[in-house]
């Protein structure tokens, strides 16, 4: 489990769209957002407090979450100074990027040295079954878009929140970078092997 609350790392995000992961956390799990950390030239702003690593640590932040979804989902070399400094200060790191934290040798070494945890939320922690063809109960709504970062996940989360507020029974099977930090005990659909998507769907709808 990723330790909360978070310091949301916006890095050098050029605009609001690039910070969509951090925006999702701030809007849907505001209790987990201690502050934002922005590097020089950052064009995004969550409208919450800017804090240094030290300030956020004193405010209770336990995990530095990479709140940026950049083109290609890569960990920028420009970020690494901050990421390694955070690990040295006792933070854990969490990321939903396709470029995994665990694949960066310098981050792995720094985490091992200081006892930090690296959380790649796109990597499933459990195994799901293949589809069995049985009819599933309940109704499903799939949000579909013609591109990345057009609001599919945000729309689904807004619908789920509104349904819950109205007293309706609703569950949200997270399936992307934003949903990975939702903390409702589900595997990110986008992490799954495409050969087992039917089984993933079944598992989502029986919980």
């Amino acid at each position: 489990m990723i330790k909360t609350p978070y310091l949301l790392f916006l890095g050098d995000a050029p605009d609001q769209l690039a910070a969509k992961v951090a925006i999702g956390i701030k809007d849907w799990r505001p209790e987990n957002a201690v502050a934002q950390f922005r590097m020089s030239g950052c064009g995004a702003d969550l409208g919450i407090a800017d804090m240094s690593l030290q300030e956020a640590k004193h405010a209770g932040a336990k995990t530095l979450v990479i709140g940026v979804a950049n083109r290609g989902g890569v960990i920028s070399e420009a970020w690494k100074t901050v990421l390694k400094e955070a690990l040295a200060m006792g933070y854990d790191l969490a990321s939903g990027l396709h470029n995994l934290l665990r694949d960066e040798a310098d981050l792995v070494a720094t985490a091992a040295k200081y006892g930090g945890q690296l959380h790649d939320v796109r990597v499933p922690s459990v195994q799901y079954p293949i589809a069995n063809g049985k009819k599933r109960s309940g109704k499903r709504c799939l949000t579909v878009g013609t591109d990345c970062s057009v609001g599919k996940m945000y729309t689904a989360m807004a619908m789920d929140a509104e349904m819950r507020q109205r007293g309706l029974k609703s569950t949200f099977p997270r399936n992307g970078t934003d949903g990975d930090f939702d903390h409702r005990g589900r595997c990110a659909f986008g992490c799954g092997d495409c050969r087992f998507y039917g089984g993933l769907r079944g598992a989502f709808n029986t919980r």
Side-chain angles (χ1 to χ4, degrees):
M1 180 65 73
I2 302 173
K3 296 176 184 176
T4 59
Y6 307 141
L7 173 60
L8 302 177
F9 178 78
L10 274 58
D12 51 3
D15 50 37
Q16 291 292 101
L17 183 60
K20 69 167 194 168
V21 177
I23 292 171
I25 294 172
K26 187 265 294 185
D27 286 352
W28 300 112
R29 286 292 182 269
E31 68 277 11
N32 291 341
V34 169
Q36 62 185 3
F37 183 101
R38 298 189 291 170
M39 296 171 60
S40 177
C42 181
D45 187 352
L46 304 179
I48 60 176
D50 284 286
M51 289 188 184
S52 66
L53 293 174
Q54 189 68 45
E55 290 169 336
K57 193 70 175 174
H58 286 317
K62 294 181 172 60
T63 302
L64 181 69
V65 172
I66 297 178
V68 183
N70 57 19
R71 185 175 180 84
V74 298
I75 297 171
S76 167
E77 287 297 323
W79 300 348
K80 283 193 173 181
T81 299
V82 177
L83 301 183
K84 288 186 282 190
E85 184 180 351
L87 286 168
M89 291 176 59
Y91 282 92
D92 291 342
L93 299 183
S95 171
L97 295 173
H98 292 283
N99 180 180
L100 303 180
L101 294 168
R102 68 187 66 183
D103 289 339
E104 299 297 315
D106 50 351
L107 295 181
V108 171
T110 305
K113 180 178 179 179
Y114 294 102
Q117 298 293 314
L118 303 179
H119 299 280
D120 290 303
V121 297
R122 282 190 175 273
V123 179
S125 57
V126 296
Q127 289 186 324
Y128 285 93
I130 60 173
N132 55 26
K134 295 181 179 179
K135 183 177 177 61
R136 297 187 293 271
S137 61
K139 296 180 179 179
R140 287 153 292 281
C141 178
L142 174 65
T143 53
V144 180
T146 56
D147 203 347
C148 299
S149 301
V150 295
K152 303 181 293 295
M153 178 65 59
Y154 201 95
T155 298
M157 295 175 83
M159 292 173 63
D160 176 54
E162 179 64 23
M163 291 177 71
R164 288 170 179 268
Q165 186 174 347
R166 296 186 183 192
L168 299 173
K169 185 178 180 180
S170 176
T171 56
F172 168 68
R174 59 191 178 91
N175 68 337
T177 318
D178 296 344
D180 293 339
F181 293 100
D182 184 61
H183 290 294
R184 292 186 192 170
R186 297 181 182 276
C187 168
F189 188 76
C191 301
D193 186 324
C194 63
R195 295 172 298 173
F196 300 98
Y197 275 178
L200 281 165
R201 292 191 187 97
F204 285 152
N205 288 291
T206 56
R207 291 191 171 195

